[in-house]
Amino acid sequence: MTDSIRQVFANRKLRDYATGYAFVIPALVMYVIFVVYPFFYTIYLSLTKWDGAKPVKEFVGFLNYERLFADPRLWSALSHNLIWIVLGTVTPVAIGLFLGVLLWRGLRGMVFFRTVYFLPVVLAPVAVGIIWKWMYNPQFGPINSTLRAVGLDVLAKGWLGDPYVALPALIFAGVWGYFGFCFVVIMAGLQNIDMEQIDAALVDGANGPQRLWYIIIPGLRHVLTMITAFTLILGVNVFDIIWITTRGGPGRATHVIATYTYNTAFRESYVGYGSALAIVMGTVSLVVSFIFISIRERGGD
Amino acid sequence: MESHVGASYQVARRPRRPARYWIARAVLYGVLILFALYVLVPFMWVIFTALKSNYEIAQDPLGLPPNWRFENLAQAWNQGKFSRYFINSVIVTVPIVLLVVSLSCLAGYGLARLKMPGRMLIFYFFLVGLMVPFTAIMIPLFYILRDIGVLGTYWAMILPQTAISLPFGIFFMRAFFSGLPYDLTDAAKIDGCNDFGVFRRVMLPLAGPAVAALVVFNFMGSWNAFLLPLIYLQSDKLRPVMTGMMFFTTRWGPDYSMSMAGTLIVMAPIMAVYLVFQRQFIQGLTAGAVRG
Amino acid sequence: MNHKTVLRLLAIVLVFALFGTALAQDPVEILYWDQVSSDDAQAVIDTIVANFEEAHPNIKITREVYTLEQLTDIARTSIEAGEGPDILYYDSGPAYGGILGNAGLLLSLEEAYATYNWDERLVSVSRDWTTYGGTVYGVGHEFEAQGFYWNKRIFADEGLEVPSTFEEMVALCGTFRELGYDPPMAAGWADWGGFPISHNWYNVLANSVPSDKVAAAISGEYPFNSPDIVASLDLVVELVEAGCYDEQGSAISFLDGNAKFYTGQAPMMLMSTWAMQFFTEEITDEFGFMILPPIEGGEQTMIQLMGAVWYIIGDTEHPEETLTFLNYLVSEEAHRLWVEGAKLLPGVTGVDFSDYDVRPVYRDFLNLVSGWDGPVGYHLDVLTPANFNTTLFESTVELAAGRLTSQEVADRITVEMERAVEDGRHADITG
C-alpha cells in the first residue's frame, strides 16, 4: 500500500497529475453533489408521481411529460418568459447603447450619471419588486397619484391588477433595475473602439446613424452578445420580482416557468409534475445557452 | 462678416461655441437627467413613504413628509426583526464567498495551468453548470439537504449556493490565470517552488483584482438570493434579509409606511457600500459580461 | 484533604448542580405559527397567550405571524425539514391542512378529541372538515358564514331598501354608482389573488345550484362544466357588468378594498363574517349583515365554513404541552375574548351569548347562525384540492377581466378536478 503510493510520487508525471487533481477535486466534489446529482435526480423525479412525502415514489414513465403538452398553463408561462426575454433584453440594451453613445466622449458629470444609473443594479430583485409594487399601488401609489394630480385620471389604473398591463408593468420595473448594467458594460466596450475609424468615417461624411450601424455596433459585437446572453438567462430564470409582486397573477397573466414550477412542486405538492416542469426549464435554458454559444463561436474573434 | 467674427475669435484662447452646440448640450443633459430621474424618483418616494404615517400617505401620497418620522425606521427594525435577519445574512454570505472564491481559484488555476489528463473535459463539465438554472435542481436538492441532515442549519443555504456559484467562478478564474505569462511560473519553478508554492506565492498575489471582482459578484449573489433561502432556510431564526423582508412587507401589506420603512432598511446598507466601493462594485458585477 | 473528602465534595456539588438545573429548568418553548388579520384579533391572542403562560409557567409560547399565502409557501417544506412550529393555525381542506395530513406531517388528534371531550364541546364540522384520510388532525376555530353587508346609515340617507332578491342587489350596484359611491362590492385581489371573487361565486353557486349537486361536483362525481354551474358563473359576470366591482379592484389589496366599506366609501359588501374583526371602535356607522338574497329558481342557502384551524405538528417535541395550549385556546375562558375582542365565532357549542358585549352586526350573525334551518352550502376552496384552487382563483380573475368566458372557466376547473380525482387528491364528501 505505502509502497504503491511511494511509487506514484516517485513518478514525476503522476505526481504532477495528482497535484492537478488536488486543485480541482474540492470544487468538483461540491459541484457533483449539489448540482450534477440533483439534476439527474430531477430527471428521475419527473418520471414519478410523488407528493413529496409518501415513502413510495410511483414510477409513471412519461406520464408527466404527456401532461405537459396538454397543459395550457405551461404554454402561457413560457410565452411570458419569451415576452420577458424579448422586451427585457431589447429595452435595456437599447437604453444602455443610447446613453453609452451619448456619454462616450466623456462629459462633465459622467461619473455622477454612471453612479446613478448603476444604483438599482446593486439592489436585490426582491427590493426592486417591492419598490415598484408601491409605485404601482392603485390607490396611493406615486404613479397613479401623479397622474391624478396632473388631471390624467383616465390613465390611472390598477397596473399590477390588470391582466393586460401587469406583465409589461413588471418588465418596466425590471428594466429600471437593469439598464444601468447594460450601460456600464457598453461603456466599457466603447472604450475599445478604434477612434481613428470614427474619424475616418467623419471625413468620409458618414452621418450619426451610419457611424452607429457600421462602426459602433460591430465594434461592440462581443459586448452585446455577452449582455444578450446574460439577459437571456435572466429572462429564462426570472422569479424573484414576480413572486414578490404578483405571484403570477392576476389570473395567469404574469406566471413564468419558474413561478409555475415553484408553485406546482412546493405549494401544491405535485413534486413529480413539478420536476417535469423543472426539466422543461433546464432544457430551455440549455438550448438558449447553446444557441448563444454557437452564435458567439461563429462570430467570435 | 461671419468670417470676420470667426477669424477674430480664432485668436482668442477659448473659441466661442455656436448656439447649436449649446442647444445640443442642453438636449444631451436633458436626456441624461431624465434617465437619472427615472432611477432616482422611485427611491425618493420610498424614502418619503417610509417616513410618513399611513394617514399622511392617504392625505398626500406624493409630497414631502409633513413630519419626518424617523421613528418608523426603528419600529420597522424591531417589528421586522431585521437585526436577526442581517446577522443571518452575514453568517451565510461570508462562508459562501470564502468557499466560492477559494475553490474557484484552486480549480481555475488547476484547469488553466496544471497538466492532468481530461483537463478540458473537466472544464466543459463545469461549464455545463453555467447553463443549469437553479430551478432545474431545486426540488431534489430539498430532499438531498434533508437527508444529509443540514436543513434547519445555515449549511442548507451555504452548501447549495456555493455549488451553484462554482461554475462561473471557475470559468472566470481560469480565464484570468490563463492570461498570465508563463515565464513567471517557470522562474519560480527554477527557484524550487512546487506547484502549490507557485500558485500561492506567484499567481495568487497577481490575482487581486480578479478575486475582488469575484468576491463582489458572489457577495451580491448570495446576499440577494431569494428563492434558495425561501425553500431551504425557512425557520425564522435562520432567515436572511431578503426572505425576511418579504415576510415583513407582505405581512404588513396595507401598512405602507412600515413596508417601505422595511425596504429602506434593507436597501440602505447595500447602497451605502456601493457608493463607497463604487469601482469595485461595478467591476465585480459586470466582470462576467466585460471579460468573459 | 484526602481522596475521599474530595470525592464526597464532588458528589455533593454534583447533586446540588442537578437539583439546581432541575429547579431552574427553562420553560418548554412552543412555537406557534399564527395568522392574524386585524389589530383587534392580535390584541386578543396576545391576551390569551399571556393568560395561558401565567397559568402554566413551565410553558412559553413563541408566536410568529404569517399570512395564508406565506404559510402555503413554507408549511410543508419547513415541517419536513424539522423546522416547523409545534402548533400551526392554517386553513382546512385538501389544499391546505390536507396536504400536511396526508403527508403524515400532522399529529393525529383522535385521542385528544376523546380526552378533552372535543366532540361534544366543538361544532361537528370541526372534526368533519379536518379529517383527512380517515384521521382527524385539526380543531376548528373560526366559524364563518358568507353574506351581504350593508351600511345602515347610507341606506337610510339615500332612502334605499335592503335588497330582497339577487336581482335587486345587482340593480343596487348601478344605483349606488350613479349616486357617486365607490363600487359597492368587496374588491381587491392584489394580495389574495382570486379569493374574493371566487368566494362570491361560491355564494352565488350555493344559491342557484342545489347543495347535493355541488357536493357531487366537489367529490368529482358531477362535472363543473355542467350547464347549471356555468350559469352560476354567468351570474358573477352579471355582478361585474353591473359595476359591482372596482375597475381597479383587482389591484387594490384585499384589506384596502374592504376598508372602503368600513370607512363608508362603499355602501355594501359581499364577504364572510370574517370581516367583522375590522369593524373597530372608531367606526361609527352601523352595519347590517344577512345572507345573500335569494336567486330566482334557487333556494336561499347559507354558506358556512371553518376558516382557519389549529393543527399540531407530528414531530413536535412537546405534544402534551402543545395539546394543553390548544385546549386552552378553545376553553370557555378564551371564548369570550374571541367573541368580544376579535369578533370571531369560535366553533364551540353550548355557549350562551346573551350577555356578551358585541355590536349589533355581530348579533345579527349569531342570531342567523343559531336560527338557521335552511340548506347549508359549501365553501369550495376548503374542500377542493390545491391544483383546482389555483386554477379557479386564476380563472375567476380572468373571468372578471373579461379574458375568459364562464364556459372556459368551467372547463378549466373541470380538467383540474378530473386530474385530482385521478391522483386521489380530492375530498369525497358525498360519502
Side-chain angles (χ1 to χ4, degrees), chain A residues 140-162:
Chain A
F140 310 115
I143 293 182
N144 276 0
S145 304
T146 309
L147 288 171
R148 290 194 192 106
V150 299
L152 289 171
D153 298 46
V154 276
L155 292 180
K157 53 164 75 42
W159 301 93
L160 295 181
D162 181 335

Side-chain angles (χ1 to χ4, degrees), chain A residues 251, chain C residues 96 146 186-189 192-206 224 232-233 236 239-240 245 254 270-272 292 303 305 378-382 384 388-400 409 413:
Chain C
Y96 304 104
Q146 296 236 5
W189 39 90
W192 286 81
F195 264 75
I197 189 140
S198 299
H199 291 184
N200 288 357
W201 173 56
Y202 310 156
N203 219 334
V204 172
L205 175 72
F224 270 97
S232 73
L233 283 162
V236 174
L239 277 172
V240 173
Y245 296 95
F254 192 39
L270 264 183
M271 182 62 61
S272 103
L292 191 78
I303 288 201
L305 70 142
Y378 297 101
H379 185 90
L380 262 61
D381 59 59
V382 298
T384 43
F388 178 91
N389 290 351
T390 309
T391 297
L392 174 70
F393 296 150
E394 286 174 358
S395 308
T396 45
V397 168
E398 299 205 34
L399 179 74
V409 173
I413 58 179

Side-chain angles (χ1 to χ4, degrees), chain A residues 122-248:
Chain A
V122 305
L123 295 184
V126 187
V128 173
I130 293 175
I131 292 172
W132 282 86
K133 193 177 181 179
W134 167 241
M135 293 291 290
Y136 287 133
N137 182 293
Q139 279 181 297
F140 310 115
I143 293 182
N144 276 0
S145 304
T146 309
L147 288 171
R148 290 194 192 106
V150 299
L152 289 171
D153 298 46
V154 276
L155 292 180
K157 53 164 75 42
W159 301 93
L160 295 181
D162 181 335
Y164 293 95
V165 185
L167 187 63
L170 280 185
I171 293 175
F172 187 76
V175 169
W176 177 81
Y178 190 67
F179 84 89
F181 176 83
C182 299
F183 165 73
V184 167
V185 174
I186 286 171
M187 281 298 281
L190 283 169
Q191 307 310 316
N192 299 329
I193 289 183
D194 190 359
M195 277 296 181
E196 280 173 25
Q197 256 189 308
I198 298 274
D199 293 338
L202 272 172
V203 171
D204 292 346
N207 62 18
Q210 280 171 334
R211 293 201 298 273
L212 182 69
W213 189 251
Y214 291 108
I215 300 172
I216 298 179
I217 290 187
L220 287 174
R221 193 184 52 217
H222 176 70
V223 160
L224 289 179
T225 36
M226 277 321 287
I227 308 182
T228 314
F230 259 64
T231 323
L232 278 178
I233 303 281
L234 287 178
V236 174
N237 290 323
V238 57
F239 175 88
D240 303 5
I241 189 171
I242 293 177
W243 200 250
I244 199 84
T245 48
T246 61
R247 286 176 175 261

Side-chain angles (χ1 to χ4, degrees), chain A residues 130, chain B residues 245 248-250 252-253 255-264:
Chain A
I130 293 175
Chain B
M245 173 169 68
F248 178 71
T249 54
T250 52
W252 299 97
D255 193 340
Y256 301 118
S257 88
M258 272 301 102
S259 101
M260 283 302 117
T263 310
L264 189 56

Side-chain angles (χ1 to χ4, degrees), chain B residues 102-120:
Chain B
S102 51
L103 294 182
S104 300
C105 282
L106 281 171
Y109 180 73
L111 292 172
R113 306 299 284 249
L114 299 178
K115 289 192 211 87
M116 66 190 103
R119 191 171 75 166
M120 283 318 279

Side-chain angles (χ1 to χ4, degrees), chain B residues 142-143 146 151-152 234-236 238-239 246-247 250-251 254 256, chain C residues 36 42 64-66 70 73-74 76-78 80-81 83 255-256:
Chain B
F142 176 80
Y143 298 98
R146 183 188 65 179
L151 279 186
Q234 293 171 326
S235 158
D236 196 42
L238 305 177
R239 212 167 271 153
M246 161 182 157
F247 281 96
T250 52
R251 158 90 183 86
Y256 301 118
Chain C
V36 180
Q42 175 83 27
E64 291 174 9
V65 181
Y66 297 96
Q70 293 174 345
D73 266 343
I74 60 172
R76 178 174 72 82
T77 41
S78 66
E80 276 188 70
E83 282 299 294
L255 294 176
D256 277 344

